[in-house]
Amino acid sequence: MRLVPWIMPLSMTGFGAAETDDGQVRIEVKSVNHRYLDVRWNIPPELQSVTPALERQVRSVLSRGRIDVRIEVRKDADPGPAEIDEAAARSWLAAARRLADLGAEWDLGVSNLLSLPG
């Protein structure tokens, strides 16, 4: 009879949370055992563009488990003065002009510009 030492696996169930010093951003991560790696995101729309980079980071350190990531951005009642990223606005306008030159209908107003990323 051959004896095999018993190795206790690390738990795949866990919870962690952190927030910025000013309390404006809070991140929660929950994990449970799962045969494959299944990452689920609950993040605000303004952060959707960083999801692929975050997903790569999670996948670089985990190989299995169901991971729920929640990012909450708290907005102050008074966000302060609005700032305009003029470089981004010029870039969007230039792209819209190029599309119009290709025959696209020109219908770009300030309200449309304000809805674009950046």
Side-chain angles (χ1 to χ4, degrees):
M1 174 194 274
R2 185 170 158 232
L3 294 175
V4 178
W6 177 261
I7 299 174
M8 180 70 165
L10 295 174
S11 174
M12 295 194 67
T13 302
F15 174 84
E19 67 180 41
T20 56
D21 290 337
D22 62 2
Q24 294 298 306
V25 178
R26 179 174 174 80
I27 302 172
E28 294 179 359
V29 179
K30 299 175 189 174
S31 67
V32 294
N33 192 16
H34 193 273
R35 185 174 181 180
Y36 303 103
L37 182 58
D38 179 19
V39 184
R40 298 185 185 196
W41 299 93
N42 181 359
I43 64 177
E46 63 265 22
L47 296 177
Q48 292 292 329
S49 63
V50 299
T51 304
L54 294 173
E55 180 96 17
R56 282 191 299 275
Q57 280 192 309
V58 169
R59 290 183 177 278
S60 73
V61 295
L62 299 174
S63 59
R64 54 181 294 215
R66 175 164 174 208
I67 315 301
D68 291 307
V69 180
R70 181 172 187 258
I71 301 175
E72 178 183 324
V73 178
R74 297 183 187 112
K75 298 182 173 118
D76 292 335
D78 178 18
E83 294 186 27
I84 298 171
D85 183 343
E86 290 186 31
R90 289 181 204 285
S91 176
W92 283 112
L93 282 171
R97 285 190 185 106
R98 288 192 303 271
L99 286 171
D101 290 345
L102 294 173
E105 184 178 323
W106 179 268
D107 185 23
L108 186 65
V110 173
S111 61
N112 290 333
L113 273 175
L114 290 173
S115 69
L116 297 171

